[in-house]
């Protein structure tokens, strides 16, 4: 175990954003645990890289990710939740969602964030106050804007609920110095980036936050190449 390096966990280490964030943090010198359901499990302790298979819809699986990370890499300084789930309606109907699927999606989009935050804070309590202590949720603009499609209901419910959690946690833990962010990459005119989401831009923002950038509020709306931008619908 390397006690000199900072440690991060990336939940949802997928091809488009999460894996790139994990690799970016590794390149920046972090120990990194990457998590997804289909990841190939591996341990490269010389490099500080762990891949752990876990399903966030199974809330009980989250504790084990923290335990293994702490044991092999160190207590996480940065916990990033980047996983998302949607539910495809049976027909083009707002209320045709399968409830079992909705519950699983809600676990992935929201309740797993609460459990990961509980574990993250338990770890932060043991870190020196000078060390970075950040919890980052990768969101989108559904906490401030409704997308007119039944296929987005599950994701939007999760993003909105988690936005509240991050907002409340950012206030509650402010005095302890634990930072909570709901990160939302936008186009320069404030729109959703959809498939153009950029892993490198996220990593750059996260590294800057970890270095103590205090100019970014919990609702971290940002633009690639610019950093934090306050838009008319940014909550703070
Ligand atoms: N700002 C915007 O406009 C915008 C645009 C696009 C996306 N986003 C957000 O950005 C984040 C990343 O999205 P992305 O599309 O780029 O995804 P991604 O980083 O390519 O991958 C996310 C990964 O999460 C994993 N995952 C999903 N459900 C999981 C579960 N139950 N347990 C464990 N892992 C799970 C999936 O891997 P497995 O299948 O292997 O589990 C998936 O590959 C999401 O939060 C998304 O909502 C925002």
């Amino acid at each position: 175990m390397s006690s000199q390096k900072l440690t991060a966990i990336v939940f949802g280490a997928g091809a488009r954003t999460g894996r790139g964030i994990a690799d970016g943090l590794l390149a920046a010198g972090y120990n990194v645990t990457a998590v997804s359901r289909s990841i190939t499990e591996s341990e490269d302790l010389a490099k500080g890289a762990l891949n752990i298979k876990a399903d966030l819809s199974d809330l009980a699986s989250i504790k084990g990710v923290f335990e293994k990370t702490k044991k092999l890499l160190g207590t996480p300084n940065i916990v990033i939740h980047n996983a998302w789930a949607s539910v495809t309606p049976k027909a083009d109907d707002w209320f045709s969602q399968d409830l079992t699927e909705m519950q699983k999606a809600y676990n992935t989009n929201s309740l797993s964030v609460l459990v990961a935050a509980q574990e993250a804070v338990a770890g932060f309590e043991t870190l020196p106050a000078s060390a970075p202590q950040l919890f980052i949720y990768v969101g989108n603009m559904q906490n401030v804007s409704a997308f007119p499609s039944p296929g987005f209901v599950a994701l939007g419910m999760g993003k909105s609920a988690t936005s509240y959690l991050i907002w409340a946690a950012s206030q509650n833990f402010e005095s302890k110095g634990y930072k909570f962010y709901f990160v939302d990459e936008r186009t320069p005119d404030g729109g959703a980036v959809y498939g153009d989401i950029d892993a490198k831009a996220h990593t750059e923002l996260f590294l800057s936050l970890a270095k103590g950038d205090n100019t970014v509020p919990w609702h971290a709306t940002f633009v690639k190449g610019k950093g934090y931008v306050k838009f008319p619908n940014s909550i703070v």
Side-chain angles (χ1 to χ4, degrees), residues 11-12 55-62 66 79-85 104-121 124 134-139 155 157-167 169 173 179-183:
F11 287 102
D55 183 346
L56 291 168
S57 70
D58 172 12
L59 302 177
S61 69
I62 296 166
F66 279 84
V79 175
I80 298 161
H81 189 300
N82 178 71
W84 62 279
K104 274 181 69 176
Y106 192 66
N107 279 359
T108 300
N109 291 326
S110 210
L111 283 182
S112 67
V113 187
L114 173 62
V115 177
Q118 289 169 339
E119 294 293 331
V121 164
F124 295 163
L134 280 76
F135 188 94
I136 296 169
Y137 177 73
V138 181
L155 187 59
M157 287 174 68
K159 296 296 187 200
S160 298
T162 306
S163 170
Y164 179 85
L165 173 68
I166 298 294
W167 184 355
F173 292 104
K179 307 282 189 167
F180 286 78
Y181 297 98
F182 180 104
V183 165

Side-chain angles (χ1 to χ4, degrees), residues 94-106:
W94 277 92
F95 292 125
S96 62
Q97 294 89 353
D98 177 90
L99 286 186
T100 303
E101 288 305 306
M102 287 294 284
Q103 282 175 331
K104 274 181 69 176
Y106 192 66

